[in-house]
Amino acid sequence: MPVHRPGSPRPRRAFLAGALIAVCALVPITPASAAESPDATASATAGTTTTTPVTPTTPARGTARMGMGVAAHDGQDGLPTGTRAAQTEGVDVASYQGNVSWTTLWNSGVRWSYNKASEGTYYTNPYFSQQYTGAYGVGMIRGAYHFATPDTTSGATQANYFVDHGGGWSADGRTLPGTLDIEWNPYGDTCYGKSTSGMVSWIRDFLNQYQARTGRNAVIYTSTTWWSQCTGNYAGFSANPLWIARYASTAGTLPAGWSTYTMWQYTSSGPTVGDHDKFNGALDRVQALAKG
């Protein structure tokens, strides 16, 4: 029987090891799977990588907020130039801003605010109490707004829901009339499936019911482009104060029926809370609107 001394070569094993290395060298490395790389799909044959487009998702009901679609539809083009003594700084907030630092805003010169109270007839802002009473607590004049969804229930039904969930008015000199936020639909069809005449009727239904419940004309928040498209640029609501949305150096062309704006949302990227506004008048004009 042959004896292998320590350190002596083993020809058969060396041959097998060499053959295995040669085979492995010929096997291609498998690219990462889609699960490992969700943003790209690799092509093993062409040796290229292509990006898979991401489909935008519809936001959850209740998450809409004032000005949500303005930048996407109307763009952004600068900020107001200079400082007008006859304008008063304000902000608008919703649940996504959480507990707001009202003292910081007050110290920066903000003197009025609007807080989202409700949406449709299915949502109320869980931060409304902190935001509404917090603004009041530091000395601001404050109000509430309702994000309209004309495709879910009638205007009168939503006006009642709004008033019953924080959108009322009191003659304390510190409470602004409620605002109807009527703008781009984040959940579907831009005009909520309504014709221009149908949209005008829905808005009128809301405004009439709000006035009947509170004795005040609600403020209308909108953008000129949406108003033109979805109401046919209707000119019959001039008795209601206009809050125009336009992220630019000027408020631009206003919807038909209004020769001037009462408030102007001019940016969604201002300090502390993002959404900042100008009241078209000094503080005494803000107080006058609150008093009625």
Side-chain angles (χ1 to χ4, degrees):
M1 176 178 225
V3 177
H4 293 286
R5 293 185 177 89
S8 62
R10 298 180 183 239
R12 182 176 177 79
R13 292 182 181 178
F15 171 78
L16 291 174
L20 181 60
I21 292 171
V23 170
C24 290
L26 295 174
V27 177
I29 297 173
T30 304
S33 67
E36 294 168 321
S37 181
D39 295 330
T41 302
S43 171
T45 55
T48 60
T49 300
T50 57
T51 301
T52 302
V54 178
T55 303
T57 57
T58 301
R61 286 277 178 178
T63 60
R65 61 185 185 274
M66 188 173 276
M68 192 171 185
V70 172
H73 290 89
D74 290 344
Q76 301 182 75
D77 185 23
L79 294 170
T81 55
T83 302
R84 285 183 54 187
Q87 289 189 327
T88 308
E89 190 75 6
V91 295
D92 57 273
V93 300
S95 62
Y96 80 102
Q97 284 129 324
N99 292 319
V100 173
S101 178
W102 293 108
T103 300
T104 299
L105 287 168
W106 177 266
N107 291 339
S108 71
V110 174
R111 293 295 178 264
W112 60 276
S113 73
Y114 267 89
N115 316 285
K116 181 180 179 182
S118 54
E119 176 179 322
T121 53
Y122 50 79
Y123 172 85
T124 56
N125 176 5
Y127 290 93
F128 181 75
S129 179
Q130 188 278 345
Q131 293 174 347
Y132 196 65
T133 60
Y136 188 91
V138 298
M140 291 186 193
I141 300 171
R142 46 59 160 142
Y145 78 84
H146 174 82
F147 192 95
T149 56
D151 56 344
T152 59
T153 47
S154 72
T157 299
Q158 291 193 33
N160 285 327
Y161 188 82
F162 178 41
V163 173
D164 293 342
H165 294 88
W169 175 78
S170 59
D172 60 359
R174 298 275 304 280
T175 303
L176 293 161
T179 291
L180 171 64
D181 179 359
I182 185 77
E183 58 172 299
W184 310 101
N185 180 9
Y187 308 121
D189 179 73
T190 294
C191 300
Y192 301 86
K194 293 192 174 295
S195 64
T196 55
S197 61
M199 182 61 74
V200 168
S201 294
W202 191 97
I203 294 170
R204 182 182 295 111
D205 196 33
F206 182 101
L207 298 176
N208 286 345
Q209 185 63 16
Y210 186 84
Q211 200 278 335
R213 288 287 306 272
T214 66
R216 295 299 307 272
N217 287 323
V219 176
I220 296 176
Y221 169 95
T222 194
S223 72
T224 299
T225 51
W226 184 91
W227 191 264
S228 297
Q229 179 178 343
C230 296
T231 74
N233 208 21
Y234 181 72
F237 295 131
S238 58
N240 298 83
L242 173 66
W243 190 347
I244 192 68
R246 188 168 187 259
Y247 302 161
S249 57
T250 68
T253 302
L254 301 180
W258 287 282
S259 59
T260 188
Y261 63 86
T262 298
M263 290 166 278
W264 167 28
Q265 186 190 53
Y266 67 89
T267 185
S268 61
S269 56
T272 309
V273 294
D275 298 329
H276 275 247
D277 311 88
K278 300 286 187 186
F279 192 96
N280 194 14
L283 183 60
D284 65 327
R285 302 316 304 155
V286 184
Q287 294 167 335
L289 180 61
K291 291 176 182 177

